[in-house]
């Protein structure tokens, strides 16, 4: 599932959560529930908005070491179809 950053204007916090592309979170309470955190002093009905982010792409060149993750087929890993849950 893709990850998204949401910002709450009421408390100026940015929280990253994963959810389906078809979903949208609209309140601080929904965001906290999805992230598994306590809402604290912020009202659960406080609005949140999704931030425009570029997304994350994992490639062998972005890993720093220049080598593929151990689960990648090209590295002799665990899955032959290229889908290892990354």
């Amino acid at each position: 599932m893709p990850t998204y950053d949401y910002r709450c204007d009421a408390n100026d916090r940015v929280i990253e959560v994963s959810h389906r592309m078809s979903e949208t979170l609209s309140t601080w309470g929904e965001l906290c529930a999805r992230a598994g955190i306590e809402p604290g002093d912020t009202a659960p009905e406080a609005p949140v908005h999704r931030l425009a982010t570029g997304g994350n792409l994992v490639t062998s060149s972005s890993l720093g070491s220049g080598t593929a993750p151990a689960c990648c087929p090209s590295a002799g890993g665990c899955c032959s179809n290229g889908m290892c849950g990354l």
Side-chain angles (χ1 to χ4, degrees), residues 1 9 15 18 22 30 36-37 39-40 44 46 48 50 54 59 62-65 68-69 76 78 80-81 85:
M1 270 192 272
D9 291 331
I15 306 292
S18 295
S22 61
E30 291 173 336
I37 62 173
V48 296
R50 191 164 73 188
T59 65
S62 68
L63 295 174
S65 67
C78 60
S80 60
N81 65 358

Side-chain angles (χ1 to χ4, degrees), residues 69-73 78-79 81-86:
C71 65
C72 289
C78 60
C79 49
N81 65 358
M83 302 299 291
C84 60
L86 287 179

Side-chain angles (χ1 to χ4, degrees), residues 8-74:
C8 177
D9 291 331
N11 63 19
D12 203 32
R13 290 186 62 189
V14 175
I15 306 292
E16 181 181 86
V17 294
S18 295
H19 62 72
R20 293 182 179 160
M21 292 176 67
S22 61
E23 293 179 88
T24 300
L25 306 177
S26 58
T27 67
W28 178 247
E30 291 173 336
L31 180 59
C32 289
R34 180 57 58 114
I37 62 173
E38 293 295 320
D41 294 334
T42 305
E45 61 275 359
V48 296
H49 58 273
R50 191 164 73 188
L51 301 176
T53 57
N56 296 323
L57 177 64
V58 177
T59 65
S60 61
S61 62
S62 68
L63 295 174
S65 67
T67 58
C71 65
C72 289
S74 62

